[in-house]
Amino acid sequence: MTWSQTHERYRLLNEAEAELRAGFARRLPWSPAYADAFGTPERLAQALRHRWRIRFQAQLDPALSQEDYEATFADLLADLAPLMGRIGTDEFSEELADASA
């Protein structure tokens, strides 16, 4: 993958997440640009899930107290849950819980 392709892919991931966060998209956004970069809607959803999993894991600091860890976990899950539902991956919250253990 070239730098230009990588840059475009990240731009499209940011765009898709922004659309999902704005609430305009009630499901996974899709366009010819997404098709060129990701091939299928499933691969776009997979890339978003990967991004969110990494973000989730990066923000959960194991050095936090149990109380702070649980509060951070709940905040992150509350932020991501609506997005996950919009792309049809409600079970992803269970995967995040497993990843944080």
Side-chain angles (χ1 to χ4, degrees):
M1 183 178 295
T2 68
W3 169 249
S4 296
Q5 291 168 319
T6 301
H7 184 72
E8 179 65 2
R9 190 173 164 92
Y10 277 103
R11 186 190 71 75
L12 290 168
L13 280 173
N14 289 335
E15 180 182 286
E17 184 171 343
E19 285 184 43
L20 290 166
R21 284 190 181 282
F24 300 128
R26 285 287 170 223
R27 58 189 177 90
L28 186 66
W30 192 247
S31 70
Y34 293 123
D36 288 344
F38 298 98
T40 66
E42 292 78 18
R43 287 181 58 201
L44 172 58
Q46 180 182 26
L48 286 167
R49 283 192 307 271
H50 177 73
R51 166 186 269 204
W52 297 336
R53 183 181 309 107
I54 297 301
R55 182 182 303 155
F56 193 87
Q57 290 172 327
Q59 292 181 18
L60 281 175
D61 185 352
L64 292 171
S65 69
Q66 184 68 27
E67 183 178 308
D68 289 342
Y69 186 91
E70 289 174 3
T72 301
F73 180 91
D75 290 345
L76 290 168
L77 193 57
D79 178 53
L80 292 176
L83 304 177
M84 293 182 291
R86 288 187 186 123
I87 67 169
T89 57
D90 295 312
E91 73 283 352
F92 187 56
S93 60
E94 295 163 10
E95 183 181 330
L96 291 177
D98 291 342
S100 70

